Amino acid sequence: MHALLISTYELGRQPFGLASPTAWLRHAGWDVTCIDLAKQRLPDDLAATASLIGFHLPMHTATRLAGPVIDRVRRLAPAARICAYGLYAPLNGGWLRSIGVDDVLGGEFEEDLTAIAAALASTDQVADENRGRPPVPTAATKKGDGSLSVGTPAVPRLHFLVPDRTGLLPLDRYATLQMPDGSRRVVGSTEASRGCKHLCRHCPIVPVYEGQFRIVPVEVVLADVAAQVARGAAHITFGDPDFFNGPAHAMRIVDGLHAAHPEVSYDVTIKIEHVLKHRDLLPRLRDTGCLFVTSAVESVDDRALTHLRKGHTRLDFIEAATLSRSIGLTLVPTFVAFHPWLTLAGYCDLLETIAALELVDHVPSIQLAIRLLIPAGSKLLEIEEIRGLVAGFDPATLAYGWAHPDSRVDDLQKEIAALVGVRIASDRRALFEEISALAYDRAGIARRTADMPGAAQRVVPYLSEPWYCCAEPNPDDMRII
């Protein structure tokens, strides 16, 4: 039988969310075709002949992009079993079912997807919605206001298989690593763990995993890395929400990677809290080929950090930046620059802090325009102040709309988003200067010369497609081929 797995967007990477379930389904005897709609068109005949069609929804943008495609596929293949899986599937379960999805699976989806495939293979009546359908493992029910109430059972413990990337587009079709000397490296990606031990309120992982965390066996991760290196990867991005959720496991991974492929570099994502807690491990990261560490700093306002439940303070961020520089490890902070607790002066303070820490070249310009996203199931709705700000759940955007108490802050965000949107690949330092000039003007604050970035530009390695999360997408970016 034939399965069609579809990705709409996975941060400019070759989709892990297709490669992993492909291994499971092929092991079960299925013929699997993978389509990445960020790079390919979906042939009508391919969808029309599939018995099982799966959509990977790892993030908000991917989910919104999937909507019209699911509608199209349902019309092309009315008898097919359509599944949605990944972080944002259970968060939007009611909406997904309303547009034709049969099964909504969460973060640990491979086993359930394979069980659905087995049920389909065991019955000739594929189109009979009442036969052969195993129970949906993640409960998501639609409430009266159109939002979702997500029930989170214990996350299953899977026996992971090595992802099967056969049939996926070549790695050189995806984002590349830009090096300081002007050269580029082909990038692969994998996951050493899933879920997260932490409960940050704005994070989409939390409503699905609720502090649960699963590791992928070392041998599985290294086999996936080796397969990508054989296909040309010279750099690996680890997509773990926090690489140091399991520091001992993480170090076994990077030690093994470096021993097998000493010429291959990598990058990871680590909380500021863990950068400081496990500072003794940072030199080993550097020495095994880690080129940079991404960390979701989010804000330099302690009040906002407390509301977001980030687990670090402004001073912790400053210490982490100083520490990283002292050992020669590039820290790449990300931000939710615009949030309900921001003031115009506070935004200028954010810019001043970035400049004072000599991080202007480290911060992708898009990070300075990001506005807080409040999706279905968000833990931000626990905060009374947030509940007082939000409008109803909007099925068109799959999020709760909110307006800042000071309309000038929202106006500034729109101006900066417009500026960055047309020049996202521009020189970061030049764009930072323009953003700063605009922000100080709108705030009516005189900019101090000491706050200007230093004259010497420090180029750092970076991925050609910026990483970002928990942000409201620009409607102009909601396109798919």
Side-chain angles (χ1 to χ4, degrees):
M1 297 182 76
H2 179 227
L4 172 63
L5 300 182
I6 297 172
S7 171
T8 56
Y9 180 62
E10 202 161 321
L11 291 170
R13 304 167 184 165
Q14 188 189 69
F16 180 92
L18 301 187
S20 183
T22 292
W24 286 68
L25 291 172
R26 285 178 177 160
H27 183 74
W30 279 65
D31 176 31
V32 182
T33 301
C34 296
I35 294 290
D36 181 0
L37 293 181
K39 301 289 182 180
Q40 301 169 274
R41 294 184 182 276
L42 175 62
D44 287 356
D45 59 345
L46 191 60
T49 57
S51 300
L52 174 65
I53 302 174
F55 286 84
H56 183 223
L57 308 179
M59 59 185 298
H60 187 262
T61 300
T63 307
R64 288 189 63 189
L65 287 170
V69 186
I70 291 171
D71 180 69
R72 174 185 165 203
V73 165
R74 176 47 80 203
R75 287 185 279 105
L76 290 170
R81 183 70 166 262
I82 298 181
C83 303
Y85 60 92
L87 280 179
Y88 272 82
L91 296 180
N92 296 284
W95 173 73
L96 289 166
R97 291 190 183 93
S98 76
I99 61 173
V101 171
D102 297 305
D103 300 288
V104 177
L105 311 178
E108 305 298 289
F109 53 81
E110 289 91 343
E111 188 171 64
D112 292 314
L113 186 62
T114 306
I116 291 168
L120 283 175
S122 68
T123 177
D124 292 330
Q125 299 180 18
V126 175
D128 184 351
E129 65 180 16
N130 296 314
R131 294 189 57 187
R133 299 199 174 203
V136 177
T138 303
T141 57
K142 195 168 184 178
K143 299 192 294 187
D145 65 356
S147 64
L148 301 176
S149 174
V150 180
T152 308
V155 175
R157 295 183 181 275
L158 303 183
H159 178 71
F160 291 99
L161 301 180
V162 178
D164 186 344
R165 298 176 182 271
T166 307
L168 295 180
L169 293 177
L171 293 172
D172 61 11
R173 291 283 302 276
Y174 292 93
T176 57
L177 180 75
Q178 315 296 298
M179 294 297 290
D181 63 4
S183 64
R184 297 185 179 187
R185 296 183 185 179
V186 173
V187 176
S189 62
T190 193
E191 296 179 358
S193 64
R194 292 179 177 177
C196 187
K197 293 179 179 179
H198 299 272
L199 300 172
C200 303
R201 280 197 173 102
H202 61 309
C203 179
I205 297 168
V206 176
V208 177
Y209 281 86
E210 292 284 6
Q212 298 171 89
F213 164 68
R214 298 290 181 262
I215 64 170
V216 182
V218 172
E219 62 273 16
V220 172
V221 179
L222 294 182
D224 189 30
V225 169
Q228 293 179 82
V229 171
R231 289 172 170 80
H235 180 89
I236 298 294
T237 289
F238 286 96
D240 309 46
D242 188 332
F243 199 60
F244 275 178
N245 266 317
H249 173 68
M251 298 315 296
R252 285 193 289 270
I253 295 286
V254 298
D255 286 343
L257 186 159
H258 187 63
H261 313 285
E263 74 289 353
V264 174
S265 57
Y266 65 91
D267 69 271
V268 297
T269 298
I270 303 176
K271 284 173 63 71
I272 290 295
E273 175 184 352
H274 287 167
V275 169
L276 298 178
K277 181 178 180 180
H278 303 295
R279 65 182 69 207
D280 58 311
L281 299 179
L282 300 183
R284 278 176 66 191
L285 291 183
R286 176 200 62 204
D287 295 343
T288 54
C290 183
L291 292 186
F292 58 91
V293 173
T294 299
S295 193
V297 175
E298 314 301 38
S299 177
V300 295
D301 180 338
D302 282 336
R303 181 185 177 209
L305 292 170
T306 298
H307 282 303
L308 297 178
R309 208 155 52 191
K310 280 301 300 176
H312 69 259
T313 65
R314 173 194 181 99
L315 290 179
D316 290 335
F317 164 47
I318 293 171
E319 182 181 358
T322 303
L323 171 66
S324 299
R325 179 172 294 108
S326 71
I327 65 171
L329 189 61
T330 297
L331 182 71
V332 177
T334 64
F335 299 98
V336 178
F338 290 87
H339 51 75
W341 307 282
L342 184 72
T343 64
L344 292 177
Y347 187 79
C348 294
D349 178 54
L350 171 64
L351 299 177
E352 291 174 8
T353 303
I354 292 171
L357 292 173
E358 300 180 15
L359 293 173
V360 171
D361 302 307
H362 298 224
V363 179
S365 301
I366 187 64
Q367 294 296 327
L368 303 176
I370 285 178
R371 189 174 191 267
L372 182 66
L373 174 72
I374 307 179
S378 174
K379 296 295 184 179
L380 287 165
L381 297 172
E382 297 173 343
I383 304 173
E384 183 176 357
E385 184 179 355
I386 292 292
R387 294 197 301 271
L389 286 177
V390 299
F393 184 80
D394 182 2
T397 62
L398 299 181
Y400 290 89
W402 64 275
H404 196 283
D406 182 349
S407 62
R408 297 176 302 163
V409 174
D410 282 342
D411 291 342
L412 176 63
Q413 189 275 332
K414 291 173 184 176
E415 289 185 274
I416 293 174
L419 182 63
V420 173
V422 297
R423 297 176 53 193
I424 197 166
S426 297
D427 175 79
R428 292 179 178 181
R429 186 164 291 249
L431 201 46
F432 184 89
E433 286 297 308
E434 291 187 47
I435 291 170
S436 296
L438 179 63
Y440 279 89
D441 177 71
R442 297 299 182 265
I445 298 174
R447 188 176 181 188
R448 294 173 297 181
T449 304
D451 296 326
M452 297 286 285
Q457 185 171 8
R458 299 210 334 270
V459 180
V460 298
Y462 65 94
L463 295 172
S464 60
E465 186 150 346
W467 182 101
Y468 63 95
C469 187
C470 304
E472 291 188 339
N474 183 339
D476 293 338
D477 294 333
M478 303 299 295
R479 329 181 172 89
I480 196 164
I481 62 173

